[in-house]
Structures are given as structure tokens and as C-alpha cells.
Amino acid sequence: HVQLVESGGGSAQAGGSLRLSCSGSGYLNSPYCMGWFRQASGKKREGVVLLDTDGSTTYADSVKGRFTISKDNADNTLYLQMNSLKPEDTGMYYCAASMLNWCQLVPGRYSYWGQGTQVTVS
């Protein structure tokens, strides 16, 4: 079965950086889309960025120019480089995989989720 395991969360000061990793395993077929989502306390889960199989990306407006998604296909690891962090970036960050062939930054389109990693910016 598919497993996604995030790591790299933690605390950072505003203006600082963190790098999240998501290790994937158990795929029978490669996902069409990989994404990062986040959920702040008391709020709905929101999309941060997605990566399509053709390498195209879609970023939420709130993170454009600050966050960068990348993937190492050799070991099925997805990364999220987060720079110029703001307090409003605080939340639980999840990586997710979708087998649907139309990528959207919508949580309901992703079948597989990691357990999440906490990011706190002060």
C-alpha cells in the first residue's frame, strides 16, 4: 500500500527557512500529481503547491516566490523549500498524491496522504 512520510518540520523565526521532505513508497503506478497542503489550527486544509507529472507546478498565491516544490525521482522523495517564512505559514503540512489525470490544488482530489509535519513560525 502507498505510504507517504513527511519530515523536516519544526520551528523557525519569521524570515527564516525550512525544508520539508516527503518519502513515498508502495506505488503500483506513479501518481499524476503530488502536492503539499497545510492546515492551521481551526481552519480548513488548503493547497500550497502541486507538481504535475510533466513538471508543471501550481502555487497558492500566498506562497508564490517564497516556496519551491521539487522531486527526486530516483528515490520518490518530494521536497518543499520554504523561504521568507511568515507567522501565517504556521500549520500542519501534509504531502499528498493523486492518481487522477487532471491536477488541481484541491484536497478532495488526492487519495494518499502523509501523517503531516508541524511548522511553527514566530
Side-chain angles (χ1 to χ4, degrees):
H1 65 284
V2 174
Q3 277 194 314
L4 300 173
V5 180
E6 301 97 336
S7 61
S11 297
Q13 291 193 333
S17 298
L18 286 172
R19 189 192 195 203
L20 306 184
S21 301
C22 172
S23 177
S25 63
Y27 297 116
L28 290 179
N29 299 295
S30 295
Y32 277 96
C33 317
M34 296 291 299
W36 286 99
F37 294 80
R38 66 186 181 188
Q39 188 166 17
S41 180
K43 295 190 176 181
K44 291 169 59 176
R45 191 169 297 187
E46 64 174 2
V48 176
V49 58
L50 69 82
L51 176 65
D52 204 332
T53 49
D54 65 1
S56 61
T57 56
T58 300
Y59 288 88
D61 288 342
S62 59
V63 305
K64 281 180 182 176
R66 301 188 298 121
F67 290 11
T68 303
I69 191 172
S70 61
K71 188 171 182 283
D72 185 338
N73 290 317
D75 61 5
N76 274 326
T77 301
L78 188 72
Y79 299 99
L80 181 66
Q81 179 66 43
M82 305 186 295
N83 299 328
S84 302
L85 284 164
K86 303 176 180 180
E88 51 262 45
D89 294 320
T90 294
M92 188 70 78
Y93 281 70
Y94 301 89
C95 72
S98 172
M99 300 304 179
L100 300 176
N101 61 1
W102 181 23
C103 292
Q104 286 184 297
L105 206 51
V106 175
R109 295 186 63 84
Y110 291 75
S111 302
Y112 304 105
W113 293 83
Q115 82 288 350
T117 185
Q118 178 68 35
V119 170
T120 303
V121 184
S122 58

